[in-house]
């Protein structure tokens, strides 16, 4: 009886050992990383697509509108009198009042802007400079003249030693967007044609390239900000914010205090190989690739790029710049 029990125990031990060996072999086999050739198209596509996200996150970032405030010029009245059906300047006040203002154009110099449309009756408007009838839409328009101290035969007016030379084709420079005093001082408006109008739009694009685990570690600094101490200098403000202006319109804004990094990097995909220092498995793969910074092609640097399997698809799990 005792010998029979010993025999059974030995048999069970052999079975368990065999099963353990089978499970270990199966685990090792199932945990093998995919072949490099099977990953190559996805690796190249992800790294190429990552350049745009790197630029948005850490590089120069999305293009913004220049920080220009709309200038307000003081308007001054001037008066006209009618002589033989022609309007001329009057040094004294009359019922024929128009307005002018002056400003400086860095390329042209001092410029006079003056109204030329005068209401002369019910629904009737006249061009006091060139003659002819105008409409109410011309009442708020201006013409321009260069202010000069040099005599000029083309001057339309002269007063106190200054000559006003017509600029028939001149147009005041306008910008696409003017900032106001209520706009956040440390953030600029992202251009409407920059490709992304909200934080969510940037995140959605990033999620097609980088893994969720990686993004969770960087999105806080990019979109929320990080406070490391109570001191002002201890706060890293978000690079991008969604901003609603005083009129209820929503815009994407980018920090103008962040220091951009150089994220340009070229990859020599023919040098791609599985990393020997970091072991890959069925879920996480580490690939060494030779790279260089454009403009400095003679300095080759090998980077280890991490990839992880997420919902059946491979994604980058480390930055590529």
């Amino acid at each position: 009886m005792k010998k029979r029990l010993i025999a059974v125990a030995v048999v069970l031990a052999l079975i368990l050992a065999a099963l353990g060996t089978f499970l270990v072999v199966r685990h090792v086999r199932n945990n093998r990383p995919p072949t490099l050739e099977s990953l190559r198209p996805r690796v190249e596509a992800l790294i190429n697509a990552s350049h745009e996200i790197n630029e948005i996150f850490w590089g120069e970032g999305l293009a913004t509108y220049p920080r220009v405030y709309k200038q307000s010029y003081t308007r001054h009245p001037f008066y006209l009198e009618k002589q033989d059906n022609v309007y001329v300047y009057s040094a004294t006040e009359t019922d024929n009042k128009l307005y002018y203002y002056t400003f400086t154009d860095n390329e042209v110099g001092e410029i006079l802007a003056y109204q030329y449309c005068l209401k002369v009756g019910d629904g009737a408007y006249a061009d006091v400079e060139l003659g002819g009838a105008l409409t109410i839409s011309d009442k708020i328009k201006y013409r321009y003249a260069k202010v000069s101290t040099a005599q000029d035969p083309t001057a339309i007016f002269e007063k106190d030693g200054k000559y006003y030379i017509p600029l028939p084709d001149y147009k005041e420079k306008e910008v696409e967007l003017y900032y106001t005093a209520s706009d956040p001082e440390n953030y600029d408006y992202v251009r409407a044609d920059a490709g992304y109008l909200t934080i969510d739009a940037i995140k959605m694009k990033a999620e097609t390239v980088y893994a969720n685990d990686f993004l969770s570690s960087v999105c806080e600094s990019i979109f929320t900000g990080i406070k490391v101490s109570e001191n002002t200098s201890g706060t890293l403000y978000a690079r991008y914010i969604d901003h609603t202006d005083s009129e209820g319109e929503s815009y994407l804004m980018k920090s103008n205090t962040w220091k951009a990094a150089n994220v340009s990097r070229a990859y020599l995909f023919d040098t791609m190989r599985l990393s020997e220092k970091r072991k890959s498995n069925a879920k996480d793969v580490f690939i060494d690739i030779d790279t260089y910074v454009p403009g400095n092609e003679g300095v080759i640097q090998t980077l280890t790029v991490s990839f992880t399997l997420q919902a059946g698809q491979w994604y980058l799990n480390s930055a590529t710049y």
Side-chain angles (χ1 to χ4, degrees):
M1 183 66 179
K2 186 176 181 180
K3 291 182 179 181
R4 185 179 298 176
L5 289 175
I6 293 174
V8 171
V10 170
V11 171
L12 287 174
L14 291 174
I15 293 174
L16 291 174
L19 180 60
T21 301
F22 170 77
L23 292 175
V24 168
V25 171
R26 182 179 179 183
H27 172 74
V28 170
R29 183 180 299 167
N30 291 342
N31 203 36
R32 288 176 181 172
T35 65
L36 191 59
E37 288 309 308
S38 67
L39 285 176
R40 183 179 296 275
R42 180 65 174 170
V43 168
E44 293 188 14
L46 286 173
I47 291 178
N48 288 332
S50 72
H51 296 315
E52 179 186 9
I53 303 303
N54 295 345
E55 191 65 44
I56 293 173
F57 278 8
W58 302 288
E60 290 299 327
L62 296 173
T64 59
Y65 292 104
R67 202 168 187 89
V68 178
Y69 294 88
K70 191 173 183 63
Q71 289 184 291
S72 177
Y73 302 111
T74 302
R75 299 196 314 163
H76 305 281
F78 69 96
Y79 301 91
L80 304 169
E81 60 179 342
K82 193 173 184 181
Q83 297 179 356
D84 299 328
N85 291 323
V86 176
Y87 289 92
V88 297
Y89 172 76
S90 172
T92 59
E93 293 187 15
T94 70
D95 292 335
N96 303 318
K97 181 170 68 172
L98 295 176
Y99 289 89
Y100 75 91
Y101 59 88
T102 60
F103 62 96
T104 299
D105 183 306
N106 292 332
E107 297 178 0
V108 181
E110 185 180 2
I111 292 178
L112 169 77
Y114 60 94
Q115 290 181 328
Y116 56 91
C117 178
L118 180 69
K119 184 175 182 180
V120 294
D122 291 339
Y125 297 85
D127 187 330
V128 297
E129 181 183 16
L130 303 178
L134 297 174
T135 66
I136 191 173
S137 64
D138 298 298
K139 192 73 177 67
I140 60 173
K141 295 179 181 180
Y142 287 81
R143 288 181 181 145
Y144 301 91
K146 179 181 178 180
V147 183
S148 175
T149 56
Q151 292 187 5
D152 192 306
T154 65
I156 57 175
F157 186 66
E158 183 272 328
K159 186 176 184 293
D160 299 332
K162 291 186 176 182
Y163 297 83
Y164 298 86
I165 305 162
L167 298 171
D169 299 323
Y170 183 83
K171 293 183 180 180
E172 287 191 59
K173 293 180 175 63
E174 293 284 336
V175 300
E176 297 173 271
L177 181 143
Y178 286 103
Y179 287 77
T180 68
S182 62
D183 291 326
E185 181 179 356
N186 295 326
Y187 287 88
D188 298 334
Y189 286 103
V190 171
R191 290 185 58 87
D193 57 3
Y196 302 90
L197 300 179
T198 63
I199 286 176
D200 283 345
I202 299 176
K203 287 182 177 179
M204 288 178 62
K205 179 63 177 181
E207 288 169 356
T208 66
V209 177
Y210 282 108
N212 292 337
D213 286 346
F214 175 79
L215 289 177
S216 66
S217 67
V218 301
C219 281
E220 183 179 6
S221 63
I222 302 295
F223 302 118
T224 305
I226 299 174
K227 188 172 184 178
V228 296
S229 73
E230 296 300 325
N231 298 327
T232 303
S233 59
T235 300
L236 174 65
Y237 292 97
R239 185 164 207 197
Y240 295 95
I241 61 171
D242 286 325
H243 173 68
T244 302
D245 67 10
S246 58
E247 297 181 359
E249 296 293 331
S250 296
Y251 298 90
L252 179 65
M253 302 191 79
K254 185 184 79 173
S255 170
N256 52 35
T257 61
W258 267 59
K259 184 177 181 180
N262 180 9
V263 296
S264 298
R265 185 167 292 278
Y267 280 75
L268 303 174
F269 291 115
D270 289 344
T271 68
M272 187 187 309
R273 65 269 190 192
L274 289 176
S275 175
E276 295 182 359
K277 293 182 179 180
R278 303 188 66 182
K279 297 303 180 182
S280 302
N281 54 51
K283 183 179 179 183
D284 295 290
V285 172
F286 304 95
I287 297 177
D288 289 341
I289 310 176
D290 291 348
T291 72
Y292 63 85
V293 175
N296 199 13
E297 288 80 0
V299 179
I300 302 298
Q301 181 181 6
T302 300
L303 293 187
T304 300
V305 186
S306 173
F307 298 85
T308 191
L309 193 62
Q310 175 183 297
Q313 185 65 281
W314 290 97
Y315 292 88
L316 279 166
N317 205 25
S318 62
T320 56
Y321 69 93

